[in-house]
Amino acid sequence: MSSAPAVDSQLLCQLEDVKKSYPMGDLLVQALKGVSVGITAGEFTAFAGPSGSGKSTILNLIGCLDRPSSGRVLLEGKDVATLGDAELGDLRARRIGFIFQSFNLIPVLTAYENVELALRLAGAPEKGQREVVQEALRSVGLADYMTRRPAQLSGGQQQRVAIARALVKKPALIIADEPTANLDSKNGAAILDLMKTMNAENRTTFLFSTHDAMVMERARRIIRLADGEIVSDDAAGPAAAGA
Amino acid sequence: MTRLALLRRARSMLILGLAVRNLFRNTRRTVITSGAVVFGVALQVLGWGLVDGLDDNFLRAVSTTTTGDILLRPPEYPTDGLSYPLEEAAAPPALTGFSGEAASRVLFSARVVHKADAARAVGVAYDPDQDYRVFPRERWRVQGVWPDAGQSQVALGDALGRLLGVGVGDEVVVQARTVDGAQNALSYTITALVHTDNGQLDNTAVWLRMDAADALLQLQGRRTHLSLHVGTLEDAAVVRDRLQAAGAFTGPDGKLWDAKTTREEAADMLAINDIRRRAILMLVGVIMAIAATGIANTVIMAAYERVREIGTLLALGMKRRDVSLLFLTEGAMLGLGAGSVGAAIGTAGVLYWQFNGIVLGEETMKATGNLPVSAIIYTHFNWGPVIGSLVFSALVAIFASVQPARFASRLNPADAVRAD
Ligand SMILES: Nc1ncnc2c1ncn2[C@@H]1O[C@H](COP(=O)(O)OP(=O)(O)OP(=O)(O)O)[C@@H](O)[C@H]1O
Ligand SMILES: [Mg+2]
């Protein structure tokens, strides 16, 4: 893993010797200690590993929510380090969907408005928005819940809204950090199955993290992290994606 | 619309929509925070309406009872209105070229004696053919009838009458000095008690016809006051300047009479009201400062409570500038909303008292002593303080939101999306 591979234009996303450290008082905590990995379009990949191993950190970097301390993060062939804050925001708005552990719906907006918000922030034209939003909510099984506020929805339903919100702008990539951690196993499995269906139907790339064996079972590729390093990657290479 | 303009409009709509929703998410807090702004703005609008009303009241009180629109006095006559030196009386100018109504008067210091009681008074000798044309007597309350020609009759200010314990039909002696300084005293029958719009007159005036005054004061055609009713929409000061330049105010002896408009005459009293305005402004300023800390506190709390939500908005691609704008908008709406409620309350009060008047009680009128004020204050609505205080409250609220907006827009999205 020490020699950084050349830029591969086939890859949706590529990490080259990425390091990330956080200041902790006077110390620097090394959250990622030089990670190189490639993600191909259409993957359904889990990052696994014990607490503190760096799963969230790596997803933040791929999702352009944060910048690496060193190394390169390439998204669709573009070096993220060359982009300013506003451009990163644009990139997230148009190309990346997020699903969070705590759902993170905007509490003052209805399910419909939450999904619509993602479209509006992506700068989608107003024409046809209504149908697109309704279709997204229908596809996650919430056609009858569009006017509910998050507080009036169950955890599983909230996470479905979040999936619809991530999917509605047809992003290249959806990042989900522990999407099932706040759900019971039945709801968790349903959410995973829904994600998997979306992955199969739309060829949207899903990257998620988990502790949960049930979730890992459903992943097509599992990348294991420990102590800020990749300790196993069950895909021999990017070619194995979608197998 | 260009695509860029469309996008910009869509962004503003998004921010406005979110801001409105956020204001109503904690209604109780919003209402409590608004309280100080509502109070401050209402106070400002009401206070201003009252002081403007006091201005009106004062101007009305003097113009309809003592000055008219323009007041002329002999060259050396004191203009402070505190003394009435009859020796300065002079033959009045002919007012050549003036087509409005004019009324001449002679004011003099007097004592009114009834049996064992006596009171200091101000004699008001009026020209019965002119006086009512300049001063709207129909608005006064006259108990009895005005004195008749060729009779020894007077009317008294109603408060003066009460002070002396006299009524219509009673006899009083009026003591005064003649134009030449000689002591004189004559006996009169009271024919009326007069209540004008001017508390000062009601407390002190002895009204008598010019022919009756001639017998007491030996006036020989001399006068101390000449009041002009301009009767046009033209500014009194402009009319005064024009007439003065044309020589209309120069007496037969060639001396120029002093001419002041009512507003100039009232300058001292109006200045007192300006002090009142400043006091209101200061009080409102303090209240608004308190309001500002309340708003700052509310918006800061909103920002801290909503870290995860802000992180989510940033993750979804909202620009940092727009996050900042969102909080500033919430602050501005809070300020404008509360300001509007305050302005509405204040305006309602001002309009109510503009039509119904605030009736000052007997005691208050006594306390106003010799000030020429009317017993009914009509407030005066003006857009100025309404717009001013609305703008001010919005600015205060935006100012209070700057710090929270900065905090929110600088959050790191990676940390913020996981905040609890
Ligand atoms: N914002 C931060 N500031 C300081 N240290 C951080 C920060 N974020 C992560 N870390 C540290 O970096 C390391 C990796 O954290 P990370 O959140 O990526 O782990 P994780 O695998 O997602 O763990 P978990 O399963 O508990 O979510 C940990 O030691 C953590 O304490
Ligand atoms: Mg984590």
Side-chain angles (χ1 to χ4, degrees), chain A residues 56 60 65-66 85 89-90 92-93 98 100 102 104 106-109 113 117 120-121 123 126 149 165 177, chain B residues 7 9-10 13-14 18 21-22 25 308-309 312-320 412-414 417-418:
Chain A
S56 296
N60 287 344
L65 290 175
D66 215 345
D85 253 17
D90 262 343
R92 290 196 300 267
F98 291 93
F100 302 98
S102 316
N104 287 27
I106 307 298
V108 293
L109 300 181
E113 290 164 337
L117 176 67
R120 293 172 77 177
L121 286 172
E126 263 173 68
R149 296 262 178 113
R165 181 176 69 181
D177 192 6
Chain B
L7 272 180
R9 198 186 66 121
M13 294 306 292
L14 181 69
L18 278 173
R21 297 287 180 90
N22 285 331
R25 79 199 281 171
R308 191 151 61 99
E309 197 176 315
T312 308
L313 290 172
L314 289 170
L316 292 177
M318 185 178 269
K319 302 267 179 298
R320 290 186 184 280
N412 171 15
V417 290
R418 286 173 188 82

Side-chain angles (χ1 to χ4, degrees), chain B residues 172-255:
Chain B
V172 288
V173 172
V174 177
Q175 303 175 345
R177 286 177 187 276
T178 67
V179 170
D180 303 317
Q183 283 282 4
N184 201 356
L186 290 172
S187 176
Y188 297 90
T189 308
I190 298 171
T191 62
L193 293 180
V194 177
H195 183 87
T196 66
D197 242 350
N198 181 341
Q200 184 181 22
L201 281 179
D202 301 341
N203 283 332
T204 60
V206 181
W207 298 87
L208 66 174
R209 295 168 61 102
M210 202 57 83
D211 49 3
D214 257 332
L216 181 67
L217 308 170
Q218 319 289 307
L219 291 169
Q220 299 145 33
R222 285 178 277 190
R223 301 288 183 264
T224 61
H225 291 71
L226 191 52
S227 297
L228 272 50
H229 178 63
V230 171
T232 70
L233 289 177
E234 204 179 350
D235 192 339
V238 175
V239 175
R240 186 263 319 269
D241 292 346
R242 178 159 49 72
L243 289 172
Q244 188 162 315
F249 297 160
T250 308
D253 54 1
K255 286 189 180 153

Side-chain angles (χ1 to χ4, degrees), chain A residues 51-52 54-57 101 177-178 209 211, chain B residues 418:
Chain A
S51 185
K55 304 183 295 293
S56 296
T57 304
Q101 177 177 336
D177 192 6
E178 313 217 27
S209 69
H211 286 112
Chain B
R418 286 173 188 82

